Amino acid sequence: RFSLLLLNLEEYYFEQHTANHIINKDCKDERKFRGSLKICSKSIIFEPDDNIQPIIKIPLRDCVSIKAPEDNEANNPFTRNTSGGISVVCSQVFLIKERNVIAPYKTVRGRTEHLFQLDVAGKVGDVVQTLHQLYRASCLDKMGDQAAMITAILQSRLARTSFDKNRFQSISETLHMECKAEMVTPLVTNPGHVCVTDANLYFQPLNGYPKPVVQITLQDVRRIYKRRHGLMPLGLEVFCTENDLCSDIYLKFYNYQDRDEVYFLIATYIENHIAEHTAESYMLQWQRGHLSNYQYLLHLNNLADRSCNDLSQYPVFPWIIADYSSSVLDLTKPETFRDLSKPVGALNKERLDRLVTRYQEMPEPKFMYGSHYSSPGYVLFYLVRVAPEYMLCLQNGKFDHADRMFNSIAETWKNCLDGATDFKELIPEFYENDSSFLVNSLKLDLGKRQGGKMVEDVELPPWASGPDDFLQKSQEALESPYVSEHLHEWIDIIFGYKQKGSEAVAAHNVFHPLTYEGGVDLNSIMDPNEKVALLTQILEFGQTPKQLFTTPHPQRIIPKLKSLSRTSSHSISISESPVSPNEESFEDLTEESITLAWNNIAKLKLDKQYKIHKEAITGIAVTCNGSSVFTTSQDSTLKMFSKESKTIQRSVSFSNMALSSCLILPGDTTVISSSWDNHIYFYSIAFGRQQDILMGHDDAVSKICWHDGRLYSASWDSTVKVWHCVPGETLSNKKHHFELLAELEHDVSVNTIDLNAANTILASGTKEGTISVWDVSTATVLHQLPCHSGTVFHSAFSPDSRHLLSTGEDCCLKVIDVQTGMLISSVTAEEPQRCFKWDGNTILSGSQSGELLIWDILGGKVIERIKGHAGAVMSMWMNEQCNSVITGGEDKQIMFWKLQY
C-alpha cells in the first residue's frame, strides 16, 4: 500500500524499521498495530500490516517532541515492554487509505502521542538522532535552507554506502563505473547508486524500495536520451523498446560529468548494434509513410526531452477533432478538424483579440498566455481516474473540485476554446488503445457536481459508442489524410521554427519566458530560496519542448490513390494523372513492374562484362531499343558497343583530353559528350561523324543533362549553363544553333548536376561539398546547403521529386527535402559512394572499392553487398523498368547486370 507518492514533492524516503504502533498506551483501550515505520526527509510514515487500518503520516514540522523513553525508565522492570520505543507527539496527522480505499487524506488536528516500538531495540538511538536532524531541517523558515540541509544529510548517507557487488548477474562482469544518482518516476525521485559493467546497467536504491536492485541488460537497450531534469542537464533515459511511450529507467545524476560518462558507456555499447536516431532520420521515414503520425509524434516528443516519467515535460499531442456534437464523425470534411496551424490559444478569434491587446500593453518580458499547453496539473486532469494517487500527491492529499474535473470531452474542448486561461493540448493516451483513463473503474469518490451528479466516467461525444470506439476514431482521425497534410504545421508551432522569436509572435505562440529552455540559468541564482521557489514555479507551470527544427518542417507525402505502402514514392507521380477506373493504364503496369524491381533489387546478378576502354569509364548511354551502348572514358574516346555482337562498333576521339559524360538525344540519332577540354561534342550516330562542337566553358565540363531542346552543362569554371539547341539540318552540313539562356553562378567548380522529373528544378553539387537547388525557369537559387566535406560525387532527385539524395568524398549519403531545403537524413558509409540510382526508399550505389551496395535509406543501413568492379564504380545506367543495370568502372570494364526473380 505504501508508495513514494505518499511523500511530499521533493521528499526522500530514507529507511524503514519493523515496529509496533501503540495507541493509548497503559490505558484500558490500548491498541497495538504491527507494521513498518518509514523515516522520510519531511515526515514519519507508519504502514500497518492490517489493510483495514489507515497509513499514518506525521509531518515533521508538526511534531512537538520526538524522543526515546529515558534510560532509567528502560531499566524499570514495570516498563520493560516499551524497550525500543520512540515517542512522537504532534499537532496534526494524516490518515491515508483507510480500509485500503484511495481517497483524499483525512486530517486529524489536535495534540496526539504516537508510540513506535522497534523490533530491533538497538536502533532506537540512531533513529531518534536522524529524526532530530530532519526535524531541525523542516523547522527552518526558508525552503532553500531546508532543501540544502536535507541534501547534505542525503549525500552523507550516500557517501557512507556503495553498490553491493554481490548483486552482479555474473561473477565475470567487469565494472566500468559507479556513481550516485536518483531514479526518476512521475513526481518522485529515489536516491541510490548506479553501476555500469560490460554487460549491465544497475541501480540500487538507498532504501531498497521498490526492489533491492533494478537491472537493465545492455544488449536489450534500443534507445538512450540525455534529458533536462528540473531545468538542469542531468537526466538520462533508457529504452529497451523501439516504439514504446514509456522507458525502462530514467536516472537523474548529481553532476553532468557522471551523466555524460554513463551515456558514453551505454551509447558506445549500443552503437555497435544499432544506428542512432535523429529527428531527421525519423522525418524521412514519416514523410515516406514508414512511420505513422502517432509514432512520429512520439519520437519527436522523445527527442524534445518529453518523458512519461516527468510530468512537467510529459509528451504533448494535439487536439485533432473539433466536432464533438455530431452523431457520425465525418473524416472527409475539413471542418471536422481543428486548425493545426494555430496554437490552442489562437483558435478562438475573440479570445485571441483580447489576449493580443493585453500582450501589446504588457511591459517586457511580454507573453500572450498566462498558462501553458502542458503541465503536471493538466496531465493528471486527464489521468485522474487511473492515477488518483498522483493527483493526491500533487494536490497535497486532495482531489480537484468536482466541477473542474475531466467530466466530458466536449466540455473540455469547449473550455479550451473559450476559457480565459485554458490552452491545454492532449496527451498520447488519447491516441492509444487503453481507454481505462476514461472510465472510473476504481470506483473513486471524485465528488458531486453542481447539479448533484457524481463524477463517474468521462462523457463521450455522440459519435463514439464507448471508450474503446472513441479511441479508435481518435486514432483514425490522427492518421487521416487531412491530418497527414497539416501535421507539419502543428510541429512548427510545438517543436519547430514558430516556437521562438519573431515567428512565434506572428503565430500568436508566446508563453512565459520561464517555460522555454534556457529561459533561466539556475546556476546563476545564488540565493537558494529564490532558486527553489523558481524551480517549483517552473515545474508546476509546465515547460515548452526543446526546439528541434529552426526551419519550416516538410509536409508529409500523401499518395492520392494508393495506400501509404512500401511503394509510396512511385505511386505519387502516377496518381496525379487522372486515370478512369475501368482502364488499367499502361503506366500503372509500368509502376507495378518498377516497384517489383526495386523490392527485389538485392537479387541483381552479373550477366556479362567487357573490357572496352584503356582508362576509367565516365559515362554510359543506351539507345531506346537497348541494342547499342555508348560509353565515354578518361582515355578520351567515345565508344559504341553492340550487345548482340558483343563487339565495339565505333570508337571516336574528339581531342586528347578525357571525356566526362555522355547522353543520347531523343530519336537515337545523336550522342553528346562532355570533355575536360572545356567543350561539348555532338556526334551523329547515323553519319558516324562529329557533327558539332559547343565551346561553352572556360574549364572542364563535368556533367551534362538534356531536356526538350535544352542542354544543361556543369563545369569546373564554377557555372552551370542552360543552352537552347536548334538542331541543324542533318543532310546539309548546317550546324546546331546554340543560344545561352541562363548561367547559374557558383563559388567553386561544379562536379555534378541533376534535373527533377518535371524539369523545373536543377540540383548542383560542387567540389567543396555544397548542394544548390535551382528554379530553372527563373535561374534563381531556392536552397543552398553545405552538405558534404569534400567533393559531391553524385546527386539525384527521387522519382516524385520530393527528395534529393547526394553522395560525396566524405563517405556520406545525404537526403534533402526539396520543398523546404531541410537536410532530413544523413548516413555514413565505410567508403565513398561514387554513383547511384534510387527510388526514394532504396539506393543502389557504386562504391570506391568496386562493390555495388543496396541501402535501405530509411533504416540507414546496407541490406546487400554485391561484388563488382576491381576499382571504383564510376558510372551507372538503369533502364526504365529498373530491372537492367550497366556499370562502368575504374577497371576499364563495363558490366551488364540483370534482376533475376
Side-chain angles (χ1 to χ4, degrees):
R1 288 198 299 160
F2 170 78
S3 90
L4 296 176
L5 293 167
L6 302 185
L7 278 55
N8 293 1
L9 292 174
E10 308 288 317
E11 184 177 6
Y12 297 110
Y13 162 37
F14 284 140
E15 60 190 58
Q16 69 162 352
H17 303 277
T18 317
N20 287 318
H21 178 208
I22 302 171
I23 300 176
N24 303 330
K25 179 164 164 35
D26 299 336
C27 301
K28 265 199 288 225
D29 55 350
E30 174 179 324
R31 286 184 297 161
K32 191 187 276 190
F33 299 107
R34 188 137 185 77
S36 153
L37 181 70
K38 299 174 194 296
I39 310 300
C40 307
S41 57
K42 297 181 182 179
S43 58
I44 303 168
I45 294 178
F46 181 77
E47 179 190 19
D49 293 346
D50 180 356
N51 276 353
I52 300 298
Q53 295 303 319
I55 294 172
I56 292 169
K57 176 176 173 178
I58 305 171
L60 286 167
R61 62 162 192 278
D62 293 330
C63 289
V64 180
S65 77
I66 301 169
K67 61 181 188 207
E70 302 305 321
D71 286 345
N72 55 2
E73 258 189 57
N75 295 333
N76 180 338
F78 297 107
T79 58
R80 185 149 297 152
N81 65 347
T82 65
S83 70
I86 299 173
S87 154
V88 179
V89 178
C90 59
S91 57
Q92 147 169 292
V93 296
F94 295 109
L95 305 182
I96 304 170
K97 285 195 184 173
E98 193 165 6
R99 293 192 158 25
N100 209 19
V101 172
I102 300 168
Y105 304 170
K106 282 188 186 158
T107 312
V108 178
R109 294 190 174 83
R111 193 181 173 106
T112 51
E113 182 180 5
H114 300 266
L115 191 68
F116 300 104
Q117 193 175 1
L118 304 194
D119 279 13
V120 183
K123 294 239 176 116
V124 169
D126 288 345
V127 172
V128 170
Q129 192 183 350
T130 302
L131 287 173
H132 281 164
Q133 252 186 328
L134 293 168
Y135 170 72
R136 282 200 299 281
S138 68
C139 290
L140 294 169
D141 288 344
K142 296 183 171 168
M143 293 299 285
D145 297 341
Q146 281 186 32
M149 188 165 168
I150 288 168
T151 301
I153 295 168
L154 170 64
Q155 289 301 332
S156 85
R157 285 181 159 246
L158 284 168
R160 290 199 302 272
T161 54
S162 66
F163 187 89
D164 175 7
K165 309 292 186 294
N166 295 326
R167 295 279 177 191
F168 281 176
Q169 287 287 298
S170 130
I171 47 170
S172 59
E173 271 183 76
T174 313
L175 174 67
H176 283 322
M177 84 164 286
E178 181 182 345
C179 64
K180 300 177 287 193
E182 295 176 8
M183 189 165 120
V184 178
T185 49
L187 303 180
V188 170
T189 61
N190 200 12
H193 296 276
V194 166
C195 239
V196 185
T197 69
D198 55 352
N200 294 290
L201 164 71
Y202 297 99
F203 175 75
Q204 187 170 30
L206 190 60
N207 50 30
Y209 179 88
K211 53 184 179 179
V213 71
V214 177
Q215 177 230 336
I216 306 275
T217 308
L218 294 183
Q219 216 171 332
D220 296 342
V221 175
R222 286 289 161 272
R223 295 175 290 146
I224 173 170
Y225 299 99
K226 289 182 178 179
R227 293 278 185 239
R228 185 174 49 132
H229 186 268
L231 299 198
M232 305 291 276
L234 299 172
L236 187 69
E237 194 162 20
V238 179
F239 290 77
C240 293
T241 53
E242 203 44 72
N243 286 318
D244 270 19
L245 183 60
C246 295
S247 65
D248 291 78
I249 193 167
Y250 185 144
L251 295 168
K252 173 199 164 191
F253 295 82
Y254 294 113
N255 61 62
Y256 67 86
Q257 292 91 340
D258 283 350
R259 192 275 304 264
D260 289 352
E261 192 178 340
V262 172
Y263 177 87
F264 174 77
L265 287 169
I266 300 176
T268 311
Y269 183 92
I270 65 173
E271 218 166 68
N272 307 323
H273 306 277
I274 44 179
E276 190 195 353
H277 292 297
T278 58
E280 288 77 26
S281 66
Y282 287 126
M283 185 196 299
L284 183 63
Q285 291 186 51
W286 170 71
Q287 262 197 300
R288 291 234 165 253
H290 292 245
L291 279 182
S292 65
N293 291 336
Y294 168 81
Q295 287 169 322
Y296 186 48
L297 287 178
L298 209 55
H299 288 306
L300 291 184
N301 270 290
N302 250 320
L303 291 164
D305 270 346
R306 312 303 284 187
S307 161
C308 290
N309 283 311
D310 183 351
L311 295 186
S312 69
Q313 300 189 87
Y314 201 78
V316 54
F317 269 62
W319 282 98
I320 293 289
I321 299 168
D323 173 5
Y324 295 101
S325 54
S326 304
S327 54
V328 176
L329 187 66
D330 185 348
L331 295 179
T332 60
K333 288 196 319 201
E335 50 274 25
T336 299
F337 299 94
R338 163 256 178 107
D339 181 346
L340 286 161
S341 67
K342 295 175 179 169
V344 170
L347 292 174
N348 173 342
K349 185 159 181 338
E350 283 174 37
R351 177 176 67 176
L352 181 65
D353 291 343
R354 291 197 298 273
L355 292 166
V356 169
T357 308
R358 192 190 70 171
Y359 172 78
Q360 287 160 347
E361 293 164 356
M362 196 183 276
E364 290 294 345
K366 294 169 177 278
F367 52 89
M368 276 177 207
Y369 308 114
S371 68
H372 205 259
Y373 49 77
S374 171
S375 72
Y378 290 158
V379 173
L380 296 178
F381 166 85
Y382 291 127
L383 296 181
V384 64
R385 288 168 179 79
V386 285
E389 293 182 77
Y390 291 88
M391 177 68 96
L392 293 172
C393 175
L394 187 71
Q395 310 221 72
N396 302 321
K398 299 192 237 347
F399 287 132
D400 209 342
H401 188 283
D403 284 305
R404 284 199 297 270
M405 282 278 184
F406 179 32
N407 290 308
S408 133
I409 310 266
E411 215 174 88
T412 304
W413 168 243
K414 187 180 181 312
N415 210 39
C416 289
L417 284 183
D418 305 339
T421 59
D422 194 347
F423 314 108
K424 60 178 168 285
E425 291 279 10
L426 295 181
I427 54 175
E429 281 77 358
F430 279 81
Y431 303 103
E432 287 171 3
N433 300 320
D434 181 357
S435 62
S436 55
F437 75 101
L438 299 168
V439 184
N440 185 11
S441 52
L442 294 174
K443 300 286 173 253
L444 301 166
D445 180 356
L446 297 170
K448 251 188 199 159
R449 302 187 63 184
Q450 274 180 347
K453 200 173 160 210
M454 295 299 289
V455 175
E456 283 298 335
D457 298 348
V458 178
E459 204 177 297
L460 302 171
W463 46 256
S465 62
D468 290 340
D469 184 52
F470 171 76
L471 291 192
Q472 175 68 37
K473 291 199 165 98
S474 299
Q475 287 171 25
E476 285 165 16
L478 179 61
E479 303 304 335
S480 67
Y482 177 89
V483 174
S484 290
E485 257 171 71
H486 295 279
L487 189 60
H488 65 286
E489 299 171 337
W490 186 80
I491 293 169
D492 283 335
I493 289 169
I494 305 295
F495 303 106
Y497 81 112
K498 292 184 177 177
Q499 195 198 78
K500 292 178 182 166
S502 57
E503 293 287 356
V505 177
H508 306 300
N509 192 33
V510 185
F511 294 86
H512 194 285
L514 286 181
T515 65
Y516 294 94
E517 184 176 28
V520 60
D521 177 10
L522 282 182
N523 290 325
S524 66
I525 300 169
M526 299 328 280
D527 180 350
N529 302 304
E530 193 185 329
K531 194 183 268 189
V532 168
L534 195 61
L535 189 58
T536 307
Q537 181 188 345
I538 290 164
L539 297 184
E540 284 179 8
F541 190 84
Q543 290 170 266
T544 302
K546 186 198 219 108
Q547 191 173 19
L548 298 178
F549 310 105
T550 51
T551 55
H553 189 287
Q555 189 175 9
R556 190 169 194 177
I557 298 169
I558 314 294
K560 301 281 191 301
L561 299 177
K562 302 179 187 172
S563 62
L564 277 175
S565 66
R566 171 94 186 92
T567 63
S568 57
S569 58
H570 300 299
S571 50
I572 287 151
S573 47
I574 189 156
S575 52
E576 283 165 354
S577 59
V579 176
S580 62
N582 53 9
E583 59 180 73
E584 174 72 292
S585 72
F586 173 68
E587 277 100 338
D588 257 355
L589 294 171
T590 313
E591 280 302 321
E592 276 165 32
S593 66
I594 289 174
T595 302
L596 186 65
W598 275 105
N599 285 348
N600 289 283
I601 200 81
K603 297 177 184 157
L604 207 58
K605 295 279 182 293
L606 181 60
D607 185 27
K608 298 188 174 63
Q609 63 191 87
Y610 307 97
K611 188 171 176 182
I612 57 172
H613 281 277
K614 296 195 174 81
E615 292 292 339
I617 292 166
T618 55
I620 303 171
V622 182
T623 52
C624 279
N625 60 9
S627 63
S628 300
V629 178
F630 287 87
T631 54
T632 51
S633 164
Q634 288 180 0
D635 66 8
S636 82
T637 62
L638 167 71
K639 293 191 193 284
M640 174 175 160
F641 181 85
S642 161
K643 266 183 90 172
E644 277 85 41
S645 64
K646 307 185 176 69
T647 55
I648 295 169
Q649 297 193 319
R650 307 222 181 132
S651 181
V652 196
S653 202
F654 303 111
S655 75
N656 58 1
M657 299 280 275
L659 296 177
S660 57
S661 70
C662 62
L663 56 86
I664 300 180
L665 292 192
D668 286 352
T669 57
T670 306
V671 179
I672 312 179
S673 305
S674 56
S675 169
W676 283 9
D677 68 2
N678 315 355
H679 302 343
I680 296 164
Y681 295 93
F682 287 67
Y683 174 81
S684 163
I685 300 174
F687 291 91
R689 63 163 182 251
Q690 178 183 315
Q691 197 181 336
D692 245 320
I693 304 183
L694 169 57
M695 299 180 186
H697 288 275
D698 303 326
D699 203 340
V701 182
S702 50
K703 180 87 188 277
I704 48 175
C705 296
W706 175 275
H707 175 70
D708 199 13
R710 294 191 175 185
L711 175 70
Y712 302 81
S713 58
S715 166
W716 295 356
D717 67 5
S718 310
T719 66
V720 173
K721 291 182 178 175
V722 185
W723 311 88
H724 181 50
C725 300
V726 182
E729 294 159 19
T730 334
L731 288 172
S732 62
N733 266 346
K734 279 191 183 155
K735 304 287 191 196
H736 276 71
H737 174 64
F738 301 108
E739 179 194 347
L740 181 62
L741 297 179
E743 193 168 321
L744 313 180
E745 296 275 358
H746 296 68
D747 298 335
V748 290
S749 301
V750 183
N751 202 50
T752 181
I753 52 172
D754 187 49
L755 279 170
N756 72 342
N759 304 291
T760 51
I761 298 173
L762 178 138
S764 59
T766 70
K767 288 214 166 159
E768 286 186 0
T770 304
I771 295 277
S772 305
V773 179
W774 301 81
D775 179 334
V776 174
S777 57
T778 59
T780 52
V781 166
L782 300 173
H783 310 294
Q784 201 163 38
L785 284 96
C787 265
H788 298 272
S789 51
T791 302
V792 179
F793 284 138
H794 191 76
S795 68
F797 290 94
S798 57
D800 59 14
S801 303
R802 290 294 298 264
H803 293 134
L804 176 72
L805 172 66
S806 60
T807 61
E809 198 178 354
D810 56 2
C811 305
C812 290
L813 296 92
K814 306 267 180 136
V815 181
I816 293 168
D817 179 81
V818 175
Q819 184 194 356
T820 59
M822 189 186 279
L823 180 68
I824 59 171
S825 179
S826 178
V827 177
T828 306
E830 292 161 15
E831 55 176 340
Q833 303 300 302
R834 299 297 298 258
C835 53
F836 64 82
K837 297 286 174 191
W838 78 312
D839 73 335
N841 295 306
T842 310
I843 303 168
L844 169 67
S845 70
S847 60
Q848 184 76 36
S849 64
E851 267 189 319
L852 295 190
L853 300 184
I854 291 155
W855 299 77
D856 165 18
I857 187 68
L858 301 167
K861 58 182 183 285
V862 175
I863 40 185
E864 191 65 58
R865 294 169 178 273
I866 303 170
K867 219 169 143 31
H869 292 266
V873 185
M874 303 291 284
S875 54
M876 185 182 289
W877 172 88
M878 185 182 252
N879 67 344
E880 201 186 337
Q881 285 76 34
C882 306
N883 57 12
S884 166
V885 172
I886 305 172
T887 55
E890 216 169 20
D891 59 2
K892 308 156 197 169
Q893 301 206 80
I894 52 169
M895 293 187 168
F896 290 82
W897 305 83
K898 272 215 177 88
L899 259 192
Q900 302 191 323
Y901 56 86

